[in-house]
Amino acid sequence: MSEEATKPARRQVHVGVLIAIAVIAAGASAAITALIANISERKGEARTTYSQVVALDEKTWDPAVWGQNFPVQYDAYLGTAEFTPTAHNEALVTRTPTAEDDRTATTASKLEQDPRLVTMWSGYAFALDYRHLRGHEWMLKDQQTTLRVLMKDQPGACLNCHASTPPVMDELGNGDQLAGFAAMNKMPYSEASALAEHPIACVDCHDPETMNLRISRPAFAEGIKNLKASEGIADYEVNKDATDQEMRSYVCAQCHVEYDFAGEDKTLTFPWNNGTDIDDVWDYYQEIGFTDFEHKVTEAGIVKAQHPEFEAWSAGVHAANGVSCADCHMNYERVGAQKVSNHDVTTPMTDVKATCGVCHTASEQVIRDRVTTIQNRFVASRDRALDSLTQLIAAIEQAKSDGTPSDQLELAKKYQNKASFYIDYAYSENSFGFHAPDYFARIITTSLDMSRLGQLALLGVPEEQLEPSDVAKANAEHVAETGLK
Ligand code: HEC
Ligand code: HEC
Ligand code: HEC
Ligand code: HEC
Ligand code: HEC
């Protein structure tokens, strides 16, 4: 109450936002048509504008060679080496180089900023080192030098999303990428990573003959095939069946997704057999009995979630309207007579006019405030759920030393796992709620509820009494019937 009384201007901003959203809604379909027209027009330009300086083929791995034909894209691509600050990832921290790690600066430690994460992941490698992300040029170096790699044995499967792997798979499989993928996954990380020469490169996303977008990662091809099968589409082959607009997100979904390493062979796997919604993924992990680690304090088996940007985007209003990752993160720009995609992949917020402004006519300030509001509300909700989880962990620890009956402890640990996976999913998604605000509200509420049920379990409330009510069950059935969770 008192907050609102001292900040009357806030209300006006909110009204402004509502008007902006109404305007957005009205302009949306026109904007999409215009954009599609843009894309085909640009394709026409591309065909006439580029002259081939060097011939590219399936074995042209070095991005510098591609850069001779496409200097604009190449220069921008190199620009990802430079740090771009955001509201939640404000600055790099300097460090003194060592023999093992010659970096002079890293991104800030999320563990230092939020020690609750150390409690959540107690006993797991993530509790050793977990940092903010930065641009693509750093992906290999930052992986080779994280304490998660230096202090723990990791498999070659880690490399899939942190290097240009087509040459690595080619070498290991003697020209057979799938065989190379299998070999790379199960070898020790240090050996696999020694074979890598570049972070993500042109060949990872482009067909060298046509420059069309192309999927190079076996795990995504398999994951999307399973996902389509769950939707009743058999034998989906992404490089043949996906539309051009879908590819503008799929190339990113090769890496910006939740994953696991299956079995002894450490096969990189995307858990999409039931769908990409978090509930489908959770069910899948339950079905196969998968956990990532045993919690050191409570001994609960825990599933860790990782950067589900593609899944969150899939659940949002932009995906529903056919707006791709590239539309926001690789905006078109005019360079001389050419119209090119910005290959300096980073936050869209540094140039809102060039990114959001293509479709949204609201003022830059209104758009910025909208993003800030979404992110602020997200963080506020996330805080409640993460506080609750750390309190549940402390309560289980206490209950263990108090001699609480084991069936109560086991039930509480089951709830801890689900509370942890759901809040971790929200935490490790890197848009701070923006990609799908209402989806994250559902996820965070679920986590909060699981922590609450865990606490009740410790008090001795039997599982039957913790079931959803009949009304809640009926509502859930109704939601399932709409197919729009
Ligand atoms: C399915 C793709 C994928 C796999 C497999 C993968 N990563 Fe990543 N990794 C990413 C993406 C995407 C990011 C950037 C988003 C982020 O930081 O959350 C990232 C970020 C990172 C970072 C920088 C931020 C941080 O977490 O400190 C490190 C270090 C890292 N990964 C290490 C690893 C290690 C070690 C493995 C193997 C256990 C691994 N990665 C496997 C996709 C992957
Ligand atoms: C080969 C795996 C891979 C692919 C493909 C990939 N990314 Fe990334 N991306 C990463 C990793 C890993 C990082 C984090 C690197 C680090 O922190 O060192 C990252 C970082 C980022 C960042 C943070 C940049 C910054 O300035 O902080 C953005 C934004 C991003 N990716 C978006 C995308 C988009 C959009 C696409 C598709 C056009 C894409 N990525 C494709 C693995 C990938
Ligand atoms: C409608 C625009 C839009 C679309 C579409 C979109 N994003 Fe984002 N993304 C954003 C915004 C806004 C942020 C928050 C940036 C910030 O906080 O500065 C963000 C943040 C991110 C980040 C963290 C970037 C950073 O520098 O901290 C990554 C990684 C990312 N998005 C990847 C993706 C991927 C992958 C896709 C497609 C599956 C995608 N995004 C689709 C707008 C979009
Ligand atoms: C993460 C994936 C990714 C990587 C890596 C990548 N590109 Fe692209 N590139 C794209 C996307 C997405 C587009 C837009 C394609 C479309 O819509 O048809 C694109 C478009 C292009 C185009 C068509 C003209 C334009 O700018 O839209 C050229 C040329 C190009 N890229 C060159 C390169 C070169 C050279 C490299 C390496 C230095 C590279 N790309 C690396 C994703 C990537
Ligand atoms: C290629 C077009 C396009 C781009 C680029 C784009 N948007 Fe959108 N945006 C849309 C469409 C279409 C909708 C849906 C409008 C509707 O449902 O009526 C939408 C909806 C929204 C909404 C309402 C969300 C909701 O849940 O209803 C917000 C907020 C938004 N966009 C912000 C952004 C921001 C911020 C950016 C830049 C980072 C951006 N958009 C970039 C097309 C775009």
Side-chain angles (χ1 to χ4, degrees):
M1 277 305 265
S2 64
E3 279 239 346
E4 276 194 31
T6 54
K7 288 182 186 166
R10 252 356 249 173
R11 272 176 187 265
Q12 271 160 12
V13 174
H14 287 169
V15 173
V17 167
L18 288 179
I19 294 169
I21 287 177
V23 172
I24 287 166
S29 57
I32 292 295
T33 323
L35 183 85
I36 290 164
N38 262 344
I39 293 168
S40 38
E41 179 197 325
R42 185 196 50 80
K43 283 216 161 137
E45 283 180 58
R47 268 194 297 273
T48 52
T49 313
Y50 298 113
S51 53
Q52 227 188 28
V53 178
V54 286
L56 304 175
D57 65 31
E58 289 294 350
K59 306 249 173 180
T60 315
W61 312 123
D62 184 355
V65 177
W66 295 56
Q68 294 176 43
N69 288 352
F70 308 109
V72 176
Q73 286 84 358
Y74 180 63
D75 286 349
Y77 155 91
L78 292 178
T80 61
E82 213 142 301
F83 180 71
T84 310
T86 68
H88 298 94
N89 182 12
E90 291 170 328
L92 294 177
V93 289
T94 52
R95 65 184 298 282
T96 313
T98 60
E100 266 185 326
D101 178 356
D102 62 0
R103 294 174 301 172
T104 52
T106 64
T107 52
S109 166
K110 289 191 183 177
L111 300 180
E112 281 166 23
Q113 289 175 350
D114 192 343
R116 294 173 300 182
L117 298 175
V118 180
T119 308
M120 171 159 70
W121 299 321
S122 175
Y124 197 45
F126 271 87
L128 298 170
D129 192 5
Y130 174 50
R131 294 175 179 277
H132 284 281
L133 81 179
R134 55 175 149 174
H136 282 164
E137 274 296 296
W138 286 97
M139 61 170 66
L140 183 56
K141 188 71 181 177
D142 283 343
Q143 185 181 54
Q144 287 167 334
T145 48
T146 177
L147 296 180
R148 306 206 295 274
V149 161
L150 296 178
M151 294 174 69
K152 298 271 174 185
D153 290 335
Q154 299 289 1
C158 288
L159 200 65
N160 278 289
C161 311
H162 285 265
S164 181
T165 53
V168 179
M169 295 188 292
D170 186 75
E171 187 181 337
L172 289 171
N174 286 320
D176 177 347
Q177 295 269 327
L178 266 181
F181 170 66
M184 177 179 78
N185 284 327
K186 60 179 170 223
M187 65 201 285
Y189 174 78
S190 54
E191 282 174 32
S193 130
L195 300 173
E197 286 189 37
H198 302 284
I200 188 172
C202 319
V203 73
D204 293 47
C205 295
H206 289 288
D207 177 330
E209 321 247 292
T210 59
M211 287 309 283
N212 286 340
L213 293 178
R214 183 175 67 176
I215 294 302
S216 55
R217 300 303 200 266
F220 180 78
E222 180 66 19
I224 193 87
K225 187 174 170 204
N226 292 336
L227 175 64
K228 294 289 179 182
S230 79
E231 294 164 356
I233 303 163
D235 303 321
Y236 186 83
E237 275 183 57
V238 65
N239 283 325
K240 269 184 22 212
D241 298 334
T243 65
D244 289 351
Q245 185 63 8
E246 283 172 334
M247 287 303 273
R248 291 164 51 82
S249 297
Y250 287 175
V251 288
C252 318
Q254 302 187 90
C255 303
H256 287 269
V257 292
E258 155 63 5
Y259 67 89
D260 62 277
F261 297 151
E264 289 295 303
D265 287 345
K266 302 284 175 198
T267 309
L268 175 64
T269 306
F270 297 169
W272 299 344
N273 293 36
N274 302 332
T276 58
D277 186 282
I278 188 171
D279 293 341
D280 299 330
V281 171
W282 174 256
D283 289 346
Y284 169 79
Y285 283 142
Q286 295 302 105
E287 283 158 22
I288 63 167
F290 180 83
T291 55
D292 283 289
F293 70 106
E294 181 178 283
H295 196 272
K296 201 170 152 197
V297 175
T298 68
E299 295 169 304
I302 303 289
V303 188
K304 167 89 184 72
Q306 267 124 184
H307 37 68
E309 278 88 56
F310 171 67
E311 297 89 323
W313 164 83
S314 300
V317 71
H318 286 104
N321 283 279
V323 181
S324 69
C325 314
D327 286 323
C328 290
H329 290 282
M330 292 184 70
N331 58 288
Y332 294 117
E333 41 180 24
R334 206 160 258 293
V335 178
Q338 298 174 29
K339 198 132 142 236
V340 299
S341 306
N342 183 356
H343 279 64
D344 187 354
V345 179
T346 188
T347 171
M349 300 314 290
T350 42
D351 192 350
V352 168
K353 269 205 164 13
T355 54
C356 324
V358 171
C359 303
H360 295 294
T361 49
S363 77
E364 180 168 345
Q365 197 56 47
V366 167
I367 294 174
R368 281 190 181 283
D369 286 350
R370 185 68 206 139
V371 174
T372 306
T373 308
I374 289 171
Q375 294 188 331
N376 285 349
R377 288 177 184 163
F378 168 85
V379 171
S381 307
R382 193 186 68 177
D383 272 339
R384 302 207 170 110
L386 194 52
D387 279 354
S388 302
L389 174 63
T390 52
Q391 285 158 1
L392 172 63
I393 290 168
I396 297 176
E397 184 179 23
Q398 182 67 42
K400 273 172 72 183
S401 64
D402 288 352
T404 300
S406 67
D407 56 333
Q408 291 178 30
L409 281 174
E410 287 313 310
L411 187 55
K413 281 152 62 174
K414 209 174 83 180
Y415 289 125
Q416 180 197 340
N417 185 16
K418 190 164 179 183
S420 188
F421 180 67
Y422 277 59
I423 198 59
D424 201 345
Y425 186 101
Y427 215 109
S428 59
E429 210 280 344
N430 286 288
S431 73
F432 289 82
F434 174 79
H435 289 144
D438 40 5
Y439 176 59
F440 281 111
R442 194 190 91 206
I443 290 170
I444 292 171
T445 317
T446 304
S447 174
L448 190 60
D449 190 34
M450 291 304 126
S451 290
R452 186 184 66 84
L453 296 179
Q455 299 249 17
L456 289 173
L458 291 177
L459 292 175
V461 181
E463 193 167 10
E464 314 81 76
Q465 286 179 34
L466 301 175
E467 289 274 300
S469 65
D470 290 343
V471 176
K473 277 185 195 151
N475 284 341
E477 265 167 41
H478 174 73
V479 168
E481 278 162 22
T482 65
L484 296 168
K485 201 149 69 169

